[in-house]
Amino acid sequence: MPDEEILEEGIVNPVETEIQDPLLRSLVAEGAEPAGTIVPQPAPLEIPLPAEGVDCIVIGTGAGGAPLLARLAMAGLKVVALEAGPWHDPKKDFATDEKAQEYLFWNDERLSAGQDPVAFGKNNSGIGVGGSTLHYTAYTPRPQPADLHLHRDFGVGVDWPFGYDELEPYYEELEQFLGISGPTPYPWGAARRKGYPLAPLPLNGAAQLMQRGCETLGIRTSPAANAALSARYYQEGVGWREACTNRGFCQAGCSTGAKASMDVTFLPLAAAHGADIRPNSYVTEIERDASGTITGVVYEQNGEQQRLRCRHLFLCAGAVETPRLLLLNALALSSGHVGRNFMAHPGVQVFGTFAEDIRPYKGIPGALISEDTHRPKDADFAGGYLLQSIGIMPVTFAGEVARGRGFWGQRLRDYMRQYNHIAGINILGDCLPHADNFLELAEEKDARGLPKPRVHFTNHENEHRMNAHAEKLMRRIWEAAGATDIWAFQRSAHVIGTARMGLSGDDAVVDANGRAFDVPNLYICDNSVFPSALGVNPALTIMALALRTADKFLESQK
């Protein structure tokens, strides 16, 4: 923690921001009082205490906050959701233009450190009512049961404090509620009681080529599960949602409502049952009484400070902002694990050039999946990964070419002329927690005068071996499919694990139900509580945890 930061009873008192502009600094100096003069300072304005509190405050409206909010509201509780970003009207605000939609990403600077610094922004975080689901690609595979007990199977990492059977009914509920499009039966994992409610979405060009290459090598593939509608679907609390038009710009926000982002699914349902959703509300302080029980929060809304009292607080701000708020407010720190155990999925991508006209921006980005690599027989690493075809937008791809191949200027322009003939595959693999991968508060301040988060990340031997195994296999797939000029782009995806759940407060921040060991009325529900990374995309599991946490909380209140 910075020496100049004072943390007392959850109130943050940042140092005065230094004036950077030389002219302004000189003007201020000209009007300054002589040295040693004590200048009377106006008393800070008192934030009025609201006359009435609420049962629950939920911070964040993404995959963790929105399902939980709806469940609590449907149970009749008085609930308020505080979202740092604005409301968006999908029909008016979401263009088929990746640059125009950069405001959907969490663009406040986050500092990166370590040997493999993680890129933030559009890769792994969002802002606005709906959170990161506004720009996620809707890829929603379930984890397999073995993903939850990596330590039991391999002797490394940490097991989840419960088994797959605890999450299975929630996966089923979510798939039916959201209208997930996918194959029935699903080729991998345990048999399921219900199939996906909708047929799979069409395979885009990259998916068809990956399917061809895998078939040649004897690797099973299947259309992937995606939270985007392959047909019209009735959404409780919303009405009829229209089918996906396959425009492919899912990361730029879905203008038709076909993608199951929280703003067109759980949040309307929550509002219909009385939930109060407050946009542009950035929480800075979490207040407590003498016993350590949370009594309310202070937040900035449209430039004004507000205070709201509550009986219970649910922190669902993601694996960066959640631990940052805890550290800023000296909250739930007794385990020493807030900010620790940071993980990022291995996500190496392999691209190839084909004679076919592929147009990689078309169709659902992740159309095809293979889980034959979930536990590879020839693996020299713990855990496993999935294979996924990828559709990639042009500006994003150009950035990867520049960073991955070092192409600039004319050479980059020449290569990008082949964009419509390029296809990619990537992996999503398990990541182990390591002591040197963590989040801390930096000395550098943001525009609000609060310390910026600094995230340290280095891939270790297990991640390097997994990436090497996957890259070799993906190169073989593209060779079998007829690709030329095959190359790999090393990357990490998603951010996970900075306030993990466990059986004891000695090595975990929250218990198996998401309740903080230190604070009786604090719950955390987002990807920060994952004990392990899981070898699949996290969105569906975050939502499942949200519903489970809400149900466990409601049971405790009876």
Side-chain angles (χ1 to χ4, degrees), residues 484-502:
T484 59
D485 191 20
I486 300 170
W487 62 281
F489 180 70
Q490 299 294 333
R491 63 187 281 274
S492 298
H494 309 118
V495 291
I496 301 163
T498 50
R500 74 181 179 197
M501 65 169 64

mmCIF file of all heavy atoms in Angstrom, residues 484-502:
data_model
loop_
_atom_site.group_PDB
_atom_site.id
_atom_site.type_symbol
_atom_site.label_atom_id
_atom_site.label_comp_id
_atom_site.label_asym_id
_atom_site.label_seq_id
_atom_site.Cartn_x
_atom_site.Cartn_y
_atom_site.Cartn_z
ATOM 1 N N THR A 484 -1.626 -21.684 -45.716
ATOM 2 C CA THR A 484 -0.237 -21.259 -45.912
ATOM 3 C C THR A 484 0.051 -20.110 -44.949
ATOM 4 O O THR A 484 -0.874 -19.552 -44.334
ATOM 5 C CB THR A 484 0.007 -20.784 -47.355
ATOM 6 O OG1 THR A 484 -0.882 -19.679 -47.648
ATOM 7 C CG2 THR A 484 -0.271 -21.913 -48.345
ATOM 8 N N ASP A 485 1.319 -19.751 -44.815
ATOM 9 C CA ASP A 485 1.744 -18.638 -43.964
ATOM 10 C C ASP A 485 1.107 -18.745 -42.579
ATOM 11 O O ASP A 485 0.404 -17.844 -42.124
ATOM 12 C CB ASP A 485 1.388 -17.303 -44.623
ATOM 13 C CG ASP A 485 2.032 -16.122 -43.915
ATOM 14 O OD1 ASP A 485 3.029 -16.334 -43.192
ATOM 15 O OD2 ASP A 485 1.522 -14.992 -44.067
ATOM 16 N N ILE A 486 1.368 -19.843 -41.885
ATOM 17 C CA ILE A 486 0.786 -20.104 -40.567
ATOM 18 C C ILE A 486 1.666 -19.452 -39.492
ATOM 19 O O ILE A 486 2.889 -19.601 -39.505
ATOM 20 C CB ILE A 486 0.668 -21.624 -40.330
ATOM 21 C CG1 ILE A 486 -0.223 -22.255 -41.407
ATOM 22 C CG2 ILE A 486 0.127 -21.912 -38.942
ATOM 23 C CD1 ILE A 486 -0.201 -23.769 -41.410
ATOM 24 N N TRP A 487 1.033 -18.730 -38.581
ATOM 25 C CA TRP A 487 1.789 -18.073 -37.510
ATOM 26 C C TRP A 487 0.957 -18.013 -36.237
ATOM 27 O O TRP A 487 -0.272 -18.141 -36.282
ATOM 28 C CB TRP A 487 2.239 -16.671 -37.929
ATOM 29 C CG TRP A 487 1.118 -15.714 -38.227
ATOM 30 C CD1 TRP A 487 0.384 -15.661 -39.371
ATOM 31 C CD2 TRP A 487 0.602 -14.693 -37.365
ATOM 32 N NE1 TRP A 487 -0.563 -14.659 -39.295
ATOM 33 C CE2 TRP A 487 -0.443 -14.039 -38.087
ATOM 34 C CE3 TRP A 487 0.930 -14.234 -36.094
ATOM 35 C CZ2 TRP A 487 -1.169 -12.975 -37.533
ATOM 36 C CZ3 TRP A 487 0.211 -13.173 -35.550
ATOM 37 C CH2 TRP A 487 -0.826 -12.555 -36.271
ATOM 38 N N ALA A 488 1.635 -17.829 -35.116
ATOM 39 C CA ALA A 488 0.964 -17.851 -33.812
ATOM 40 C C ALA A 488 1.075 -16.497 -33.122
ATOM 41 O O ALA A 488 2.082 -15.790 -33.259
ATOM 42 C CB ALA A 488 1.569 -18.927 -32.920
ATOM 43 N N PHE A 489 0.033 -16.171 -32.382
ATOM 44 C CA PHE A 489 0.001 -14.945 -31.573
ATOM 45 C C PHE A 489 -0.207 -15.349 -30.119
ATOM 46 O O PHE A 489 -1.230 -15.946 -29.770
ATOM 47 C CB PHE A 489 -1.124 -14.022 -32.042
ATOM 48 C CG PHE A 489 -1.226 -12.743 -31.256
ATOM 49 C CD1 PHE A 489 -0.255 -11.765 -31.386
ATOM 50 C CD2 PHE A 489 -2.283 -12.520 -30.385
ATOM 51 C CE1 PHE A 489 -0.335 -10.571 -30.663
ATOM 52 C CE2 PHE A 489 -2.371 -11.340 -29.660
ATOM 53 C CZ PHE A 489 -1.396 -10.364 -29.799
ATOM 54 N N GLN A 490 0.774 -15.046 -29.269
ATOM 55 C CA GLN A 490 0.683 -15.407 -27.857
ATOM 56 C C GLN A 490 -0.163 -14.377 -27.122
ATOM 57 O O GLN A 490 0.057 -13.169 -27.246
ATOM 58 C CB GLN A 490 2.084 -15.466 -27.242
ATOM 59 C CG GLN A 490 2.999 -16.499 -27.884
ATOM 60 C CD GLN A 490 2.537 -17.923 -27.658
ATOM 61 O OE1 GLN A 490 1.867 -18.238 -26.660
ATOM 62 N NE2 GLN A 490 2.883 -18.813 -28.585
ATOM 63 N N ARG A 491 -1.123 -14.855 -26.360
ATOM 64 C CA ARG A 491 -1.999 -13.944 -25.620
ATOM 65 C C ARG A 491 -2.587 -14.661 -24.413
ATOM 66 O O ARG A 491 -2.530 -15.893 -24.301
ATOM 67 C CB ARG A 491 -3.152 -13.447 -26.515
ATOM 68 C CG ARG A 491 -4.074 -14.564 -26.980
ATOM 69 C CD ARG A 491 -5.108 -14.083 -27.991
ATOM 70 N NE ARG A 491 -6.217 -13.390 -27.373
ATOM 71 C CZ ARG A 491 -7.306 -13.992 -26.888
ATOM 72 N NH1 ARG A 491 -7.440 -15.316 -26.939
ATOM 73 N NH2 ARG A 491 -8.287 -13.287 -26.368
ATOM 74 N N SER A 492 -3.132 -13.870 -23.505
ATOM 75 C CA SER A 492 -3.903 -14.395 -22.374
ATOM 76 C C SER A 492 -5.296 -13.787 -22.450
ATOM 77 O O SER A 492 -5.479 -12.686 -22.975
ATOM 78 C CB SER A 492 -3.249 -14.021 -21.048
ATOM 79 O OG SER A 492 -1.957 -14.589 -20.946
ATOM 80 N N ALA A 493 -6.278 -14.503 -21.925
ATOM 81 C CA ALA A 493 -7.664 -14.041 -21.985
ATOM 82 C C ALA A 493 -8.312 -14.156 -20.608
ATOM 83 O O ALA A 493 -8.031 -15.084 -19.863
ATOM 84 C CB ALA A 493 -8.446 -14.874 -22.999
ATOM 85 N N HIS A 494 -9.171 -13.196 -20.295
ATOM 86 C CA HIS A 494 -9.951 -13.173 -19.054
ATOM 87 C C HIS A 494 -9.039 -12.952 -17.839
ATOM 88 O O HIS A 494 -7.844 -13.234 -17.889
ATOM 89 C CB HIS A 494 -10.781 -14.449 -18.884
ATOM 90 C CG HIS A 494 -11.597 -14.795 -20.078
ATOM 91 N ND1 HIS A 494 -11.420 -15.959 -20.792
ATOM 92 C CD2 HIS A 494 -12.572 -14.113 -20.723
ATOM 93 C CE1 HIS A 494 -12.257 -15.996 -21.809
ATOM 94 N NE2 HIS A 494 -12.960 -14.877 -21.784
ATOM 95 N N VAL A 495 -9.612 -12.431 -16.787
ATOM 96 C CA VAL A 495 -8.901 -12.201 -15.534
ATOM 97 C C VAL A 495 -9.701 -12.844 -14.411
ATOM 98 O O VAL A 495 -10.908 -12.680 -14.317
ATOM 99 C CB VAL A 495 -8.679 -10.700 -15.282
ATOM 100 C CG1 VAL A 495 -7.674 -10.145 -16.270
ATOM 101 C CG2 VAL A 495 -9.979 -9.900 -15.390
ATOM 102 N N ILE A 496 -9.018 -13.584 -13.541
ATOM 103 C CA ILE A 496 -9.703 -14.514 -12.644
ATOM 104 C C ILE A 496 -8.963 -14.609 -11.312
ATOM 105 O O ILE A 496 -7.743 -14.508 -11.256
ATOM 106 C CB ILE A 496 -9.749 -15.927 -13.294
ATOM 107 C CG1 ILE A 496 -10.483 -15.875 -14.635
ATOM 108 C CG2 ILE A 496 -10.410 -16.958 -12.392
ATOM 109 C CD1 ILE A 496 -10.219 -17.078 -15.511
ATOM 110 N N GLY A 497 -9.733 -14.797 -10.220
ATOM 111 C CA GLY A 497 -9.189 -15.390 -9.016
ATOM 112 C C GLY A 497 -8.618 -14.507 -7.936
ATOM 113 O O GLY A 497 -7.869 -14.992 -7.087
ATOM 114 N N THR A 498 -8.934 -13.230 -7.862
ATOM 115 C CA THR A 498 -8.277 -12.328 -6.921
ATOM 116 C C THR A 498 -8.971 -12.196 -5.564
ATOM 117 O O THR A 498 -8.525 -11.430 -4.714
ATOM 118 C CB THR A 498 -8.173 -10.933 -7.564
ATOM 119 O OG1 THR A 498 -9.463 -10.562 -8.066
ATOM 120 C CG2 THR A 498 -7.172 -10.929 -8.703
ATOM 121 N N ALA A 499 -10.059 -12.936 -5.352
ATOM 122 C CA ALA A 499 -10.737 -12.949 -4.046
ATOM 123 C C ALA A 499 -11.385 -14.321 -3.889
ATOM 124 O O ALA A 499 -12.585 -14.445 -3.703
ATOM 125 C CB ALA A 499 -11.770 -11.834 -3.942
ATOM 126 N N ARG A 500 -10.561 -15.344 -3.952
ATOM 127 C CA ARG A 500 -11.093 -16.692 -4.168
ATOM 128 C C ARG A 500 -11.915 -17.242 -3.007
ATOM 129 O O ARG A 500 -11.776 -16.821 -1.863
ATOM 130 C CB ARG A 500 -9.959 -17.653 -4.492
ATOM 131 C CG ARG A 500 -9.070 -18.048 -3.340
ATOM 132 C CD ARG A 500 -7.984 -18.999 -3.836
ATOM 133 N NE ARG A 500 -7.068 -19.401 -2.786
ATOM 134 C CZ ARG A 500 -5.888 -19.948 -3.012
ATOM 135 N NH1 ARG A 500 -5.468 -20.145 -4.254
ATOM 136 N NH2 ARG A 500 -5.102 -20.301 -2.005
ATOM 137 N N MET A 501 -12.775 -18.209 -3.345
ATOM 138 C CA MET A 501 -13.590 -18.891 -2.358
ATOM 139 C C MET A 501 -12.864 -20.143 -1.872
ATOM 140 O O MET A 501 -12.007 -20.691 -2.570
ATOM 141 C CB MET A 501 -14.956 -19.267 -2.923
ATOM 142 C CG MET A 501 -14.919 -20.280 -4.055
ATOM 143 S SD MET A 501 -16.553 -20.942 -4.477
ATOM 144 C CE MET A 501 -17.383 -19.473 -5.042
ATOM 145 N N GLY A 502 -13.213 -20.572 -0.665
ATOM 146 C CA GLY A 502 -12.585 -21.766 -0.107
ATOM 147 C C GLY A 502 -13.290 -22.210 1.151
ATOM 148 O O GLY A 502 -14.332 -21.664 1.539
#
